[in-house]
Amino acid sequence: MPKKFSITDKNKWLDKYESGKSESSIANESKCDLRTIRRGIEEARRERDARAARVDLIKQAIFKHQESLLDKLGEIFSTLTVPPHDWAVLSWHGNGESVLSESDLDMEDSLEDAASEDLKDSDVHVDMVEGMLRQHLRNDKLWKILGRRQQIYASHRLVRIALQRKVVNLLEEGTGYELEARGDVPPPFLYSYTTGDLFYRMTLAHAFGDSKNDAWQDEIVVDTSVGCVKYRHSTLAEVPGKADECRKNLLDAFRKMQLLPEVTRVVNTSKELEESTLKAKQAIEEIRLLGLVPGVCKVCRRLGM
């Protein structure tokens, strides 16, 4: 019965052959047939080439896997923005999530609940790459930082909604006229998308220090010929016979807006959001500077890591 040789023996034959020994001398040393040596060397060479090819494929797979993880970190980084100071969550028009919609009266509570649910389900409702990223960074501080930022963002969003509603209330109570998004209703009324938007933005500009003076108020003028109040090229109110009184009441309402506690909350939560956003960006940058995402995931284990 012919002697059987292991792949280890065949690898040794290949090493000797590539070191310069002839097949016949290897056959003599191994006390076996020359054809056996030739077949063994060829088998060892195929095995080595296949192994090298697998290693190369695994390297490429690992590189692509790491590239997708780093891209996902980049995507998360790009979402970490702070809204502008004059950001209005609800529309001043009558469409969509409008400040004028009666169905939105309880929106603050529903949004708070939704934000809470989003945080609870954040580990479930993610795409596949983010799921792998979370496995790699299972105990990393990044997720806690991002979770805290999301909570602050949700709070900031809610206080802005509350401020929008207070602005509406002060404008309507101060003037005695309702805000309307449509111009086809009979006067008197205030235009929501000009009046509401203007006084909301100016209240926040004053609170954030973006507006150093009240010169803009001088641009609110009365056009008695048509009975309206205007700001630059926009009509704020159509109030025939009451334009002067309406202008005065609008400015009185603005002074009250500056004292609203919601204004202070918007400013404070905006600062908190800026700080938490910066912290989250720094946490991501620390990982990206490594050039790879540490840890392992299910894909890594399948690749033998």
Side-chain angles (χ1 to χ4, degrees), residues 65-66 69-70 73 132-140 142-143 283-284 286-297 300 305:
H65 177 55
Q66 281 287 332
L69 294 175
L70 290 170
L73 277 175
M132 292 186 290
L133 182 62
R134 286 177 177 272
Q135 290 174 37
H136 271 261
L137 303 173
R138 192 180 307 276
N139 298 314
D140 197 272
L142 173 63
W143 306 117
I284 291 176
E286 287 177 11
I287 299 169
R288 293 170 75 182
L289 286 172
L290 293 173
L292 59 83
V293 179
V296 295
C297 67
C300 295
M305 295 179 64

mmCIF file of all heavy atoms in Angstrom, residues 65-66 69-70 73 132-140 142-143 283-284 286-297 300 305:
data_model
loop_
_atom_site.group_PDB
_atom_site.id
_atom_site.type_symbol
_atom_site.label_atom_id
_atom_site.label_comp_id
_atom_site.label_asym_id
_atom_site.label_seq_id
_atom_site.Cartn_x
_atom_site.Cartn_y
_atom_site.Cartn_z
ATOM 1 N N HIS A 65 -16.029 46.788 4.841
ATOM 2 C CA HIS A 65 -16.857 46.806 6.051
ATOM 3 C C HIS A 65 -16.512 48.022 6.914
ATOM 4 O O HIS A 65 -17.399 48.756 7.345
ATOM 5 C CB HIS A 65 -16.618 45.507 6.828
ATOM 6 C CG HIS A 65 -17.362 45.429 8.125
ATOM 7 N ND1 HIS A 65 -18.736 45.597 8.227
ATOM 8 C CD2 HIS A 65 -16.920 45.194 9.391
ATOM 9 C CE1 HIS A 65 -19.106 45.471 9.492
ATOM 10 N NE2 HIS A 65 -18.030 45.242 10.217
ATOM 11 N N GLN A 66 -15.221 48.249 7.121
ATOM 12 C CA GLN A 66 -14.793 49.403 7.910
ATOM 13 C C GLN A 66 -15.171 50.713 7.216
ATOM 14 O O GLN A 66 -15.566 51.687 7.866
ATOM 15 C CB GLN A 66 -13.282 49.351 8.134
ATOM 16 C CG GLN A 66 -12.842 48.404 9.228
ATOM 17 C CD GLN A 66 -13.170 48.944 10.613
ATOM 18 O OE1 GLN A 66 -13.240 50.144 10.843
ATOM 19 N NE2 GLN A 66 -13.386 48.028 11.559
ATOM 20 N N LEU A 69 -18.762 51.445 7.895
ATOM 21 C CA LEU A 69 -18.954 51.885 9.285
ATOM 22 C C LEU A 69 -18.537 53.346 9.445
ATOM 23 O O LEU A 69 -19.237 54.137 10.090
ATOM 24 C CB LEU A 69 -18.145 51.006 10.241
ATOM 25 C CG LEU A 69 -18.564 49.535 10.351
ATOM 26 C CD1 LEU A 69 -17.586 48.783 11.238
ATOM 27 C CD2 LEU A 69 -19.982 49.394 10.884
ATOM 28 N N LEU A 70 -17.403 53.707 8.847
ATOM 29 C CA LEU A 70 -16.929 55.091 8.935
ATOM 30 C C LEU A 70 -17.863 56.031 8.176
ATOM 31 O O LEU A 70 -18.083 57.168 8.601
ATOM 32 C CB LEU A 70 -15.505 55.195 8.392
ATOM 33 C CG LEU A 70 -14.424 54.542 9.268
ATOM 34 C CD1 LEU A 70 -13.098 54.480 8.518
ATOM 35 C CD2 LEU A 70 -14.262 55.295 10.579
ATOM 36 N N LEU A 73 -20.765 56.714 10.401
ATOM 37 C CA LEU A 73 -20.397 57.729 11.404
ATOM 38 C C LEU A 73 -20.450 59.123 10.784
ATOM 39 O O LEU A 73 -20.887 60.084 11.424
ATOM 40 C CB LEU A 73 -18.995 57.456 11.945
ATOM 41 C CG LEU A 73 -18.869 56.428 13.075
ATOM 42 C CD1 LEU A 73 -17.397 56.200 13.404
ATOM 43 C CD2 LEU A 73 -19.628 56.871 14.323
ATOM 44 N N MET A 132 -24.696 47.286 12.864
ATOM 45 C CA MET A 132 -23.341 46.760 12.986
ATOM 46 C C MET A 132 -22.439 47.739 13.740
ATOM 47 O O MET A 132 -21.591 47.337 14.538
ATOM 48 C CB MET A 132 -22.768 46.459 11.596
ATOM 49 C CG MET A 132 -23.452 45.301 10.890
ATOM 50 S SD MET A 132 -22.657 44.850 9.318
ATOM 51 C CE MET A 132 -23.077 46.273 8.294
ATOM 52 N N LEU A 133 -22.648 49.036 13.471
ATOM 53 C CA LEU A 133 -21.863 50.059 14.157
ATOM 54 C C LEU A 133 -22.112 50.012 15.664
ATOM 55 O O LEU A 133 -21.179 50.137 16.468
ATOM 56 C CB LEU A 133 -22.220 51.440 13.601
ATOM 57 C CG LEU A 133 -21.455 52.635 14.185
ATOM 58 C CD1 LEU A 133 -19.965 52.513 13.892
ATOM 59 C CD2 LEU A 133 -22.010 53.948 13.615
ATOM 60 N N ARG A 134 -23.358 49.812 16.038
ATOM 61 C CA ARG A 134 -23.697 49.725 17.459
ATOM 62 C C ARG A 134 -23.066 48.490 18.103
ATOM 63 O O ARG A 134 -22.707 48.520 19.285
ATOM 64 C CB ARG A 134 -25.216 49.717 17.644
ATOM 65 C CG ARG A 134 -25.863 51.076 17.407
ATOM 66 C CD ARG A 134 -27.373 51.017 17.517
ATOM 67 N NE ARG A 134 -27.951 52.343 17.364
ATOM 68 C CZ ARG A 134 -28.142 53.207 18.369
ATOM 69 N NH1 ARG A 134 -27.802 52.857 19.594
ATOM 70 N NH2 ARG A 134 -28.668 54.385 18.146
ATOM 71 N N GLN A 135 -22.944 47.405 17.329
ATOM 72 C CA GLN A 135 -22.284 46.219 17.867
ATOM 73 C C GLN A 135 -20.790 46.486 18.077
ATOM 74 O O GLN A 135 -20.224 46.083 19.089
ATOM 75 C CB GLN A 135 -22.474 45.035 16.916
ATOM 76 C CG GLN A 135 -23.901 44.504 16.867
ATOM 77 C CD GLN A 135 -24.068 43.430 15.805
ATOM 78 O OE1 GLN A 135 -23.179 42.617 15.591
ATOM 79 N NE2 GLN A 135 -25.207 43.430 15.130
ATOM 80 N N HIS A 136 -20.180 47.168 17.135
ATOM 81 C CA HIS A 136 -18.757 47.501 17.270
ATOM 82 C C HIS A 136 -18.518 48.394 18.484
ATOM 83 O O HIS A 136 -17.533 48.218 19.204
ATOM 84 C CB HIS A 136 -18.263 48.223 16.012
ATOM 85 C CG HIS A 136 -17.763 47.321 14.945
ATOM 86 N ND1 HIS A 136 -16.428 47.066 14.744
ATOM 87 C CD2 HIS A 136 -18.425 46.600 14.002
ATOM 88 C CE1 HIS A 136 -16.281 46.231 13.720
ATOM 89 N NE2 HIS A 136 -17.487 45.936 13.252
ATOM 90 N N LEU A 137 -19.392 49.365 18.668
ATOM 91 C CA LEU A 137 -19.219 50.359 19.737
ATOM 92 C C LEU A 137 -20.241 50.124 20.845
ATOM 93 O O LEU A 137 -20.831 51.061 21.366
ATOM 94 C CB LEU A 137 -19.382 51.769 19.154
ATOM 95 C CG LEU A 137 -18.434 52.119 18.003
ATOM 96 C CD1 LEU A 137 -18.812 53.469 17.401
ATOM 97 C CD2 LEU A 137 -16.982 52.130 18.463
ATOM 98 N N ARG A 138 -20.396 48.859 21.190
ATOM 99 C CA ARG A 138 -21.465 48.458 22.116
ATOM 100 C C ARG A 138 -21.475 49.270 23.415
ATOM 101 O O ARG A 138 -22.502 49.727 23.877
ATOM 102 C CB ARG A 138 -21.321 46.963 22.431
ATOM 103 C CG ARG A 138 -22.518 46.363 23.148
ATOM 104 C CD ARG A 138 -22.283 44.888 23.418
ATOM 105 N NE ARG A 138 -21.906 44.165 22.206
ATOM 106 C CZ ARG A 138 -22.784 43.700 21.328
ATOM 107 N NH1 ARG A 138 -24.067 43.880 21.507
ATOM 108 N NH2 ARG A 138 -22.361 43.056 20.254
ATOM 109 N N ASN A 139 -20.333 49.464 24.025
ATOM 110 C CA ASN A 139 -20.262 50.152 25.315
ATOM 111 C C ASN A 139 -19.618 51.528 25.203
ATOM 112 O O ASN A 139 -19.163 52.090 26.206
ATOM 113 C CB ASN A 139 -19.467 49.294 26.320
ATOM 114 C CG ASN A 139 -20.133 47.956 26.576
ATOM 115 O OD1 ASN A 139 -21.336 47.887 26.791
ATOM 116 N ND2 ASN A 139 -19.352 46.879 26.535
ATOM 117 N N ASP A 140 -19.590 52.064 23.992
ATOM 118 C CA ASP A 140 -18.950 53.361 23.788
ATOM 119 C C ASP A 140 -19.820 54.498 24.323
ATOM 120 O O ASP A 140 -21.054 54.447 24.264
ATOM 121 C CB ASP A 140 -18.684 53.582 22.293
ATOM 122 C CG ASP A 140 -17.666 54.682 22.047
ATOM 123 O OD1 ASP A 140 -18.078 55.856 21.946
ATOM 124 O OD2 ASP A 140 -16.471 54.363 21.970
ATOM 125 N N LEU A 142 -20.392 57.204 23.021
ATOM 126 C CA LEU A 142 -21.076 57.923 21.939
ATOM 127 C C LEU A 142 -22.580 57.784 22.026
ATOM 128 O O LEU A 142 -23.312 58.768 21.852
ATOM 129 C CB LEU A 142 -20.585 57.405 20.582
ATOM 130 C CG LEU A 142 -21.333 57.935 19.348
ATOM 131 C CD1 LEU A 142 -21.169 59.444 19.224
ATOM 132 C CD2 LEU A 142 -20.844 57.237 18.082
ATOM 133 N N TRP A 143 -23.087 56.582 22.280
ATOM 134 C CA TRP A 143 -24.535 56.352 22.255
ATOM 135 C C TRP A 143 -25.237 57.093 23.394
ATOM 136 O O TRP A 143 -26.342 57.605 23.216
ATOM 137 C CB TRP A 143 -24.828 54.858 22.301
ATOM 138 C CG TRP A 143 -24.100 54.129 21.230
ATOM 139 C CD1 TRP A 143 -23.137 53.167 21.377
ATOM 140 C CD2 TRP A 143 -24.219 54.340 19.811
ATOM 141 N NE1 TRP A 143 -22.664 52.765 20.158
ATOM 142 C CE2 TRP A 143 -23.303 53.460 19.174
ATOM 143 C CE3 TRP A 143 -24.997 55.181 19.036
ATOM 144 C CZ2 TRP A 143 -23.166 53.406 17.797
ATOM 145 C CZ3 TRP A 143 -24.867 55.119 17.650
ATOM 146 C CH2 TRP A 143 -23.965 54.254 17.052
ATOM 147 N N ALA A 283 -17.084 63.280 20.041
ATOM 148 C CA ALA A 283 -17.050 61.831 20.287
ATOM 149 C C ALA A 283 -16.906 61.060 18.975
ATOM 150 O O ALA A 283 -16.179 60.060 18.899
ATOM 151 C CB ALA A 283 -18.304 61.395 21.029
ATOM 152 N N ILE A 284 -17.586 61.529 17.938
ATOM 153 C CA ILE A 284 -17.486 60.875 16.628
ATOM 154 C C ILE A 284 -16.108 61.104 16.017
ATOM 155 O O ILE A 284 -15.498 60.186 15.462
ATOM 156 C CB ILE A 284 -18.589 61.390 15.682
ATOM 157 C CG1 ILE A 284 -19.959 60.888 16.156
ATOM 158 C CG2 ILE A 284 -18.337 60.941 14.247
ATOM 159 C CD1 ILE A 284 -21.121 61.405 15.347
ATOM 160 N N GLU A 286 -13.310 61.533 17.514
ATOM 161 C CA GLU A 286 -12.321 60.708 18.197
ATOM 162 C C GLU A 286 -12.223 59.329 17.552
ATOM 163 O O GLU A 286 -11.134 58.766 17.420
ATOM 164 C CB GLU A 286 -12.688 60.560 19.677
ATOM 165 C CG GLU A 286 -12.445 61.816 20.502
ATOM 166 C CD GLU A 286 -12.883 61.642 21.951
ATOM 167 O OE1 GLU A 286 -13.179 60.498 22.358
ATOM 168 O OE2 GLU A 286 -12.928 62.651 22.681
ATOM 169 N N ILE A 287 -13.362 58.793 17.155
ATOM 170 C CA ILE A 287 -13.387 57.468 16.518
ATOM 171 C C ILE A 287 -12.880 57.559 15.085
ATOM 172 O O ILE A 287 -12.063 56.736 14.641
ATOM 173 C CB ILE A 287 -14.811 56.880 16.545
ATOM 174 C CG1 ILE A 287 -15.290 56.702 17.990
ATOM 175 C CG2 ILE A 287 -14.860 55.547 15.813
ATOM 176 C CD1 ILE A 287 -16.759 56.377 18.124
ATOM 177 N N ARG A 288 -13.323 58.565 14.355
ATOM 178 C CA ARG A 288 -12.930 58.699 12.945
ATOM 179 C C ARG A 288 -11.432 58.920 12.792
ATOM 180 O O ARG A 288 -10.824 58.467 11.805
ATOM 181 C CB ARG A 288 -13.705 59.854 12.303
ATOM 182 C CG ARG A 288 -15.198 59.591 12.182
ATOM 183 C CD ARG A 288 -15.964 60.818 11.770
ATOM 184 N NE ARG A 288 -15.799 61.138 10.371
ATOM 185 C CZ ARG A 288 -16.345 62.211 9.783
ATOM 186 N NH1 ARG A 288 -17.073 63.044 10.496
ATOM 187 N NH2 ARG A 288 -16.164 62.441 8.513
ATOM 188 N N LEU A 289 -10.813 59.585 13.754
ATOM 189 C CA LEU A 289 -9.376 59.838 13.680
ATOM 190 C C LEU A 289 -8.557 58.555 13.828
ATOM 191 O O LEU A 289 -7.386 58.515 13.433
ATOM 192 C CB LEU A 289 -8.961 60.853 14.757
ATOM 193 C CG LEU A 289 -9.375 62.308 14.484
ATOM 194 C CD1 LEU A 289 -9.083 63.184 15.693
ATOM 195 C CD2 LEU A 289 -8.664 62.854 13.248
ATOM 196 N N LEU A 290 -9.162 57.512 14.393
ATOM 197 C CA LEU A 290 -8.469 56.225 14.490
ATOM 198 C C LEU A 290 -8.260 55.600 13.110
ATOM 199 O O LEU A 290 -7.356 54.790 12.909
ATOM 200 C CB LEU A 290 -9.281 55.255 15.358
ATOM 201 C CG LEU A 290 -9.411 55.586 16.848
ATOM 202 C CD1 LEU A 290 -10.383 54.599 17.502
ATOM 203 C CD2 LEU A 290 -8.061 55.533 17.534
ATOM 204 N N GLY A 291 -9.145 55.962 12.175
ATOM 205 C CA GLY A 291 -9.065 55.378 10.838
ATOM 206 C C GLY A 291 -9.802 54.062 10.717
ATOM 207 O O GLY A 291 -9.895 53.491 9.636
ATOM 208 N N LEU A 292 -10.310 53.574 11.828
ATOM 209 C CA LEU A 292 -11.114 52.348 11.833
ATOM 210 C C LEU A 292 -12.027 52.379 13.047
ATOM 211 O O LEU A 292 -11.804 53.125 13.999
ATOM 212 C CB LEU A 292 -10.237 51.097 11.854
ATOM 213 C CG LEU A 292 -9.252 50.905 13.022
ATOM 214 C CD1 LEU A 292 -9.929 50.305 14.223
ATOM 215 C CD2 LEU A 292 -8.102 49.996 12.596
ATOM 216 N N VAL A 293 -13.070 51.548 12.991
ATOM 217 C CA VAL A 293 -14.012 51.455 14.097
ATOM 218 C C VAL A 293 -13.633 50.225 14.926
ATOM 219 O O VAL A 293 -13.681 49.102 14.417
ATOM 220 C CB VAL A 293 -15.463 51.329 13.591
ATOM 221 C CG1 VAL A 293 -16.427 51.196 14.771
ATOM 222 C CG2 VAL A 293 -15.831 52.542 12.738
ATOM 223 N N PRO A 294 -13.225 50.408 16.185
ATOM 224 C CA PRO A 294 -12.818 49.260 17.002
ATOM 225 C C PRO A 294 -13.995 48.349 17.337
ATOM 226 O O PRO A 294 -15.149 48.698 17.122
ATOM 227 C CB PRO A 294 -12.252 49.920 18.277
ATOM 228 C CG PRO A 294 -12.939 51.251 18.339
ATOM 229 C CD PRO A 294 -13.134 51.682 16.917
ATOM 230 N N GLY A 295 -13.668 47.163 17.875
ATOM 231 C CA GLY A 295 -14.704 46.212 18.238
ATOM 232 C C GLY A 295 -15.038 45.279 17.096
ATOM 233 O O GLY A 295 -14.448 45.340 16.011
ATOM 234 N N VAL A 296 -16.000 44.405 17.342
ATOM 235 C CA VAL A 296 -16.431 43.439 16.332
ATOM 236 C C VAL A 296 -17.948 43.382 16.267
ATOM 237 O O VAL A 296 -18.637 43.816 17.188
ATOM 238 C CB VAL A 296 -15.883 42.023 16.625
ATOM 239 C CG1 VAL A 296 -14.376 41.998 16.531
ATOM 240 C CG2 VAL A 296 -16.339 41.532 17.991
ATOM 241 N N CYS A 297 -18.436 42.833 15.163
ATOM 242 C CA CYS A 297 -19.876 42.626 14.987
ATOM 243 C C CYS A 297 -20.086 41.248 14.370
ATOM 244 O O CYS A 297 -19.139 40.483 14.179
ATOM 245 C CB CYS A 297 -20.474 43.716 14.096
ATOM 246 S SG CYS A 297 -19.888 43.657 12.383
ATOM 247 N N CYS A 300 -18.004 40.706 11.282
ATOM 248 C CA CYS A 300 -16.587 40.457 11.603
ATOM 249 C C CYS A 300 -16.383 38.998 11.997
ATOM 250 O O CYS A 300 -15.402 38.366 11.588
ATOM 251 C CB CYS A 300 -16.134 41.371 12.753
ATOM 252 S SG CYS A 300 -16.144 43.122 12.351
ATOM 253 N N MET A 305 -12.848 37.107 12.412
ATOM 254 C CA MET A 305 -12.144 38.035 13.310
ATOM 255 C C MET A 305 -12.551 37.762 14.767
ATOM 256 O O MET A 305 -13.661 37.367 15.051
ATOM 257 C CB MET A 305 -12.462 39.481 12.934
ATOM 258 C CG MET A 305 -11.954 39.857 11.562
ATOM 259 S SD MET A 305 -12.370 41.550 11.140
ATOM 260 C CE MET A 305 -11.450 42.453 12.367
#
